[in-house]
Amino acid sequence: MSITKRLARIGAIAAMAAATMLIAAGCGSSSSNSSSTSDKLPKVSYKVSKNTPAWKADKSKNNTLTWYVNADWWNKSFGKDMITKQIKKDLNVNIKFVTGDDTKLNTYFASGKLPDVVTILDPNSKVARTASQWAYPLQDLATKYDPYFFKVARQDTLNWYKMKDGKTYGYPDYSNTEADYKSGKVPPRDAFIVRKDVLAAIGKQDFTTPEGFVKAMAAIKAKFPNLTPFGFNDFSGANSSLDNVVQDMLGVPIVTKDNKYYARNMDPDYLKWLNAFREVHAAGNISDDSFTDDSNAFNEKVNVGKYATIMMGSDVNHGINLQTFASKHPDDQYVAVDGIQSTEGRKPTLSQAGISGWMINYISNKTKNPAKAIQVFEYLLSDRGQMLVNYGIKGKTYEDAGNGMVKWTPSAAKVQQDDPDKWQNQYRMGEFILFGHDRYKALNKDSYVKAIWQMQKWGQKYLTPQFKTENIAPDPGTQEARAYSAIQTNWSTTLVSLIRAKSKAEFDANVKKYKDFEKSNSIDQINQTRDKNIKANMKKLNMK
């Protein structure tokens, strides 16, 4: 695929992110108060107790739920691997997963025939903001069918997702609080990584400054002509790891000292580094394939160590590929090093999932089995469910290690290190993440592949919560939201154009063109909305 076509696709993908704005607000009747909602719900068929999970009391059979996940990459298999077999057995439920994109999600809402459970990835979307019209309040379902839910759901997370009626309709995975960040149990996810054999061969190089970085890439090319000196995550879903991840690495603020939104893309330090990447590209040390590769192509290259260095966003998500390379080439495996640092003395502010989490799960008000649906939510949030999805079955794949920690059994550890495909497909360890949380993974560092341990340790001291800036974009469907979408699309293509610019003059011209585009698309009004939402978040979080 040509660069031109690829840039067009990038724009289309960014535009697709706004597609949920088109979902009709009337996708379901508006949720009413607790008593009327309860009156509409089917009667319970088992004894409800606040001290006992409802799935233990519910003896009903032949329960089937359809669960839509708005992500094509989600593994739709259920009941075939070790973990989902146990979920199926414990809950007496069969889950039929369906996947798709925003277009398919729109189709569901247009038809009015919603699945039992819906998982989305954007808390700013029209779907999320109109959840009271098409989903059940979790508090109502839990009170009627499974009050044990209140013991396993985190109140901070429920409060964060409360809507104007005081009810919570969606519950996310990986919803980390500030206490989680301070606990040291939340690992960073991003790092600048280099192959160990490359480091040994090129001698002392300075990856921390723009000038040193350009020279280091040239040194790599001279020693390793068959490798791509500098790689980064693919552009197929957003802007690779070259915007927010690099900005975090440089410690570019998101808000000013007076809690106003800060325009990170135009930060002088960040632009200086983008120009350095332009020089690296001009010297032939960034492959044009990096702009056209999809996620599969990127993963394949990580798998075989094709990149000498990588600005790696979300090393956990690429852990299998990093471990595959490390297992075959232990002396060459990737390690995190200090690189791409601020020229202004700022420290990295690495990100992780915030209180909004990632994938947000809802129970549709069209479901005919709300009792079983809330039981699934409760089960997956409970200690039993979390230990299962993270570690499998006690005695078979994990055992106690003392002090509240666990460890893999010898046979499971061997599979994890030597057979990543079996670990992923037959065990499905750590992959069933719809209600995942980092604090459970922290019970055993082996829950992460060994290839990323050093990367996580390197970045731990830089982990910084940014809760006040979560979900601050304009409301979907508004004129500001449409302008914001246009700006995002424009930035996606501008970023590539900046790195591929043939001269500093062309680079500067592209920057000016982007600034002009922002100005003509209501950026001042958008930033005013962001500032207002930052203040609202601070109030929600009781921040001064």
Side-chain angles (χ1 to χ4, degrees), residues 11 133 187 217 416:
Q133 299 176 14
M217 295 303 113
Q416 185 201 37

Side-chain angles (χ1 to χ4, degrees), residues 362-425:
Y362 300 85
I363 297 174
S364 159
N365 59 21
K366 301 297 185 182
T367 181
K368 294 181 180 179
N369 200 342
K372 188 57 66 176
I374 193 66
Q375 287 173 29
V376 171
F377 278 38
E378 176 267 300
Y379 177 93
L380 291 174
L381 283 171
S382 70
D383 285 345
R384 180 182 179 90
Q386 287 291 320
M387 294 303 292
L388 173 65
V389 299
N390 282 295
Y391 302 114
I393 299 172
K394 190 172 184 179
K396 184 173 183 179
T397 53
Y398 79 94
E399 55 195 16
D400 291 332
N403 297 319
M405 302 292 285
V406 300
K407 62 182 179 181
W408 300 121
T409 60
S411 60
K414 182 174 176 58
V415 173
Q416 185 201 37
Q417 293 300 318
D418 299 339
D419 195 347
D421 287 338
K422 182 177 181 180
W423 186 255
Q424 184 176 30
N425 298 319

